[in-house]
Amino acid sequence: MSEPLLVVISGPSGSGKSTVEARILAEMPGLLFSVSHTTREPRSGEENGRDYFFVAEAKFRDLISQGAFLEWAEVHEKLYGTSLAELERARLEGKDLVLDIDVQGAAQIKKAYPGAVTIFLRPPSVAVLTDRLRGRASDTAEVVAVRIKNATGEIQRASEFRHVVVNDHLDATVDTVKRIIETERAQKRS
């Protein structure tokens, strides 16, 4: 069984990670979405086990103490983590694993798995990001304010990633991310 390629897609809330990931997962064979654990409440339309594993903070902390995570971090005052079980699932299915994680988690993955493909999705501007976050209508004004504040620091860490893609036009962004993955897969095989 070969090791899956870890494809880390990161960027601030509102950068379009979920939209880009949905497209690449639908359009590229051999990819598996890593379902993260979180202590935040589900948004409208989100499903436990599909979008996230929604757990209580005590359960999450218990999983930390058991060493069950590849990476975990506190983001926007909630806990998020990628379980080792997701990596094992990718191994068993013979697929590459797509991780939607924050910059803290990406740094942990990069350290533990130097061959991981790290992609930072950057919004075209903070103004566009602000409009996207407010347009969601699923977060309170306070949550949006925290996410905008955090976005500034996250954008400053973009240079830590192997690839930075400005998500200005969705189709072009998806094509760019797909090309990155195809190139990285080819390099892994050679």
Side-chain angles (χ1 to χ4, degrees), residues 139-186:
D139 295 321
T140 65
E142 293 80 19
V143 168
V144 170
V146 167
R147 290 177 185 262
I148 292 167
K149 179 179 172 264
N150 291 345
T152 305
E154 291 169 334
I155 290 169
Q156 290 174 351
R157 294 184 64 182
S159 64
E160 297 173 19
F161 290 75
R162 193 178 306 171
H163 306 277
V164 177
V165 179
V166 176
N167 186 10
D168 199 5
H169 301 287
L170 181 60
D171 290 339
T173 300
V174 168
D175 287 345
T176 300
V177 171
K178 285 167 55 176
R179 276 195 310 277
I180 290 168
I181 294 169
E182 288 165 355
T183 301
E184 296 281 355
R185 280 176 163 173

Side-chain angles (χ1 to χ4, degrees), residues 21-22 36-37 58 71 78 84 89 118 132-133 152 164:
E21 289 159 358
S36 296
H37 283 69
E71 61 80 27
K78 300 295 179 187
L84 288 165
R89 184 168 67 104
T118 56
R132 288 177 183 172
L133 289 171
T152 305
V164 177

